[in-house]
Amino acid sequence: MSDDGSPGEFGPLSLHVPEPAVRPGGAPDFSNVELDEAGAIRRPEVDANPEDIRDLAFSIIRVLNRDGAAVGPWAGLLTDDQLIEGLRHMMTLRTFDARMQIAQRQGKTSFYMQHLGEEAVSCAFRKALAPGDMNFPTYRQAGLLIADDYPMVEMMCQIYSNERDPLKGRQLPIMYSSKEHGFFSISGNLATQYIQAVGWAMASAIKHDTKIAAGWIGDGSTAESDFHASLVFASTYKAPIVLNIVNNQWAISTFQGIARGGSGTFAARGLGFGIPALRVDGNDYLAVFAVAKWAIERARRNLGPTLIEYVTYRAGAHSTSDDPSAYRPKTESDAWPLGDPVIRLKNHLIGRGVWSDDRHKQTEAEILDTVVAAQKEAESFGTLHAGGKPSARDMFEGVYEEMPPHLRRQRQQAGV
Amino acid sequence: MPRKTMIEAIRDAMDIMMERDDNVVVFGEDVGFFGGVFRCTQGLQAKYGKTRCFDAPISEAGIVGAAIGMAAYGLKPCIEIQFADYVYPAYDQIVSEAARLRYRSNGDFTCPIVVRMPVGGGIFGGQTHSQSPEALFTHVSGLKVVVPSNPHDAKGLLISAIEDPDPVIFLEPKRLYNGPFDGHYDRPVTPWSKHDLGEVPDGHYTVPLGKAIKRREGSKLTILAYGTMVYVAEAAAEEHGIDAEIIDLRTLLPLDLETIVESVSKTGRCVVVHEATLTSGFGAELAALVQEHCFYKLEAPVVRVTGWDTPYPHAQEWDYFPGPVRLGRALVETLEG
């Protein structure tokens, strides 16, 4: 400003606030999403120098092409049976989601969050891990449990906060915990588990163990300071960890550009920390598995951390408390160029000659039966407002290993 | 018996626990090669190696968050935040994660970590090297909060804290690191080598968490104190010839209510003293508990002598710090009132 208050040599500043390409009422537009052809991206050796593979943070590794064929250097890792199993896991998660979504609408639980469109990410990643490895998931990776055959009834009992809830009714629905299944206790506070995952991996290295950790975070939560701390620690101590970013384009109502800012990709965030970063088609089960396996092997060989950005789309609402039509076009998920992970794997298997529309329908029906049966069993132990529920006494347990005197007094006051 | 400073006692506790338990790891800013800005971890890296005692990036959230992950794996991290004034970036990890992990996972995962941090004023530390944020931790279900006042207790309490299966916030009054301090800033300071409580047994011993101790027997008035204020209380009672019973709380959460109630029921009067600011400070909890449990025995209102409700100033250090003059006045008034 000059002395008289008028702009001088420089014009007035203005604040840049990024906007998504289109809002409700508009036609979906993903022309800004740059896609690489399936098979086009090279597969480096796992001990590649991070400096030599910087380009992988700016491309998208894909295996399944438009015709549903598996092509390129990342293909060929899974047998027919493994792929059919993967398809089943994704279909199971989708059916589970749909049933629980309805259960929430029926008032059987207070809250639910679906994975619609993101099933490949957690289902395929789980199969690349070994027993003993530990995930530090967010609230949108239940595929890690499904693909590890965690009992569905227990998941539902947690969602219903009933008398069989493994977490005794203390946690909001879907905040599962299972050490046995390598699934760290979910917290409502975003990004906190990312740095904890790094600590867990450091511990495994300190003890000369062979287990590795996987951290999970969404695109929006990468803006949390814990994300930054995680990358610093993982880089400094070369922790045996896979740092997963699930970029589903949306953080509730906020499009990914608000968290990403001017950075080309989320994967590129890793490069500044010297962490090799891969970007992968998150709706391509085969690509997710291949990239996960690569990063897990790097970690297991003590070569340090890897960052993976899964490019996908949150097809459903953020949660049962959310209405996406208020902030994005209703048909946007149909326009998503990476399609639907279930349909893509289905078509691939049909193309391989090991699957058919009939088998798919039949499997769908079987899965529905299984999920409905599990739901019936879970509901026999109660739902949030009806039937069996955890004891009020349980509320006071587990704050500490041993209940201190003040909590004992309060429990007596509560009359439990 | 050998005499040690509080620094040496704290280091001794970590040394013993690292020796006894391979799962104990120590890290934080400057704690590795250099041995800590207060020398509390001196020699530990040389003795136990870089993977047991190491330097961390300047990221409090990172230090605590990583420690929580290590604890979930099965280690027992004893970590350092350089000054309590700098714990706030880690507050989310402490409150939302460490404190609740056992509860929210129904014991599937636990968090046996110790977060050490120097606290308190009286050293011309100004706004960001003097704070006493204990009330921000005593308000959190799932934490234990410890404040030692002498080398003997510091070692025994720290060993207990490391052995404890739950997260412990271990607040070290840095004004007491080298010797007791009664608030008489114009007098020479006595080193711990001249004080009985500087006697620290060799080897492993514990001071139980959740147990207060009477530092002085008395019949007319009870002073509830911890950290540096224990010595301020001793000086104030001595100088005014008041037959005060001084209780060093040692652990604020869980609190030894029994010892407090027993003492106040006997004396009928109670003064609470802490360095931290008044409003919603831990003294409010103490005063509330005393009136709740000793109402019919009280002969005067419970009085709080604390830091003022201002940020901790630099030049006005001794107008801020609740020293023996201010406390003494409160004791006399409470006794006569």
Side-chain angles (χ1 to χ4, degrees), chain B residues 105-174:
Chain B
S105 72
N106 191 27
D108 199 19
F109 295 93
T110 60
C111 189
I113 67 170
V114 179
V115 188
R116 293 179 41 242
M117 57 187 106
V119 291
I123 58 148
F124 281 97
Q127 294 187 24
T128 56
H129 298 81
S130 308
Q131 295 169 31
S132 297
E134 62 270 17
L136 297 178
F137 299 111
T138 54
H139 191 55
V140 180
S141 316
L143 296 180
K144 295 185 178 179
V145 180
V146 177
V147 192
S149 69
N150 59 73
H152 173 274
D153 286 357
K155 178 176 169 182
L157 287 166
L158 184 53
I159 289 176
S160 291
I162 295 171
E163 290 176 345
D164 196 271
D166 289 304
V168 181
I169 305 297
F170 197 85
L171 306 171
E172 301 166 3
K174 56 188 158 314

Side-chain angles (χ1 to χ4, degrees), chain A residues 77-79 81-90 119-131 133 135 143-150 181 214 216 285-286 288-294 296 300 310 345:
Chain A
L77 296 178
L78 292 162
T79 64
D81 285 347
Q82 286 172 321
L83 287 169
I84 289 169
E85 191 194 23
L87 181 65
R88 268 180 185 281
H89 289 149
M90 290 199 288
E119 292 90 346
V121 178
S122 51
C123 288
F125 190 90
R126 174 70 250 185
K127 299 310 287 184
L129 290 170
D133 295 339
N135 286 287
L144 295 170
L145 290 172
I146 299 272
D148 201 49
D149 296 324
Y150 182 83
H181 288 266
W216 293 88
Y285 186 94
L286 289 79
V288 169
F289 179 84
V291 165
K293 198 169 157 41
W294 188 91
I296 288 164
R300 194 98 61 205
Y310 303 89
L345 182 54

Side-chain angles (χ1 to χ4, degrees), chain A residues 235-286:
Chain A
S235 171
T236 298
Y237 302 108
K238 297 199 189 312
I241 184 164
V242 182
L243 295 160
N244 296 311
I245 301 172
V246 182
N247 175 9
N248 67 13
Q249 315 300 318
W250 291 97
I252 308 185
S253 74
T254 306
F255 95 112
Q256 46 102 359
I258 293 284
R260 182 173 47 78
S263 156
T265 66
F266 288 100
R269 299 261 195 249
L271 303 183
F273 295 86
I275 298 176
L278 309 177
R279 210 154 163 263
V280 59
D281 178 346
N283 290 11
D284 181 339
Y285 186 94
L286 289 79

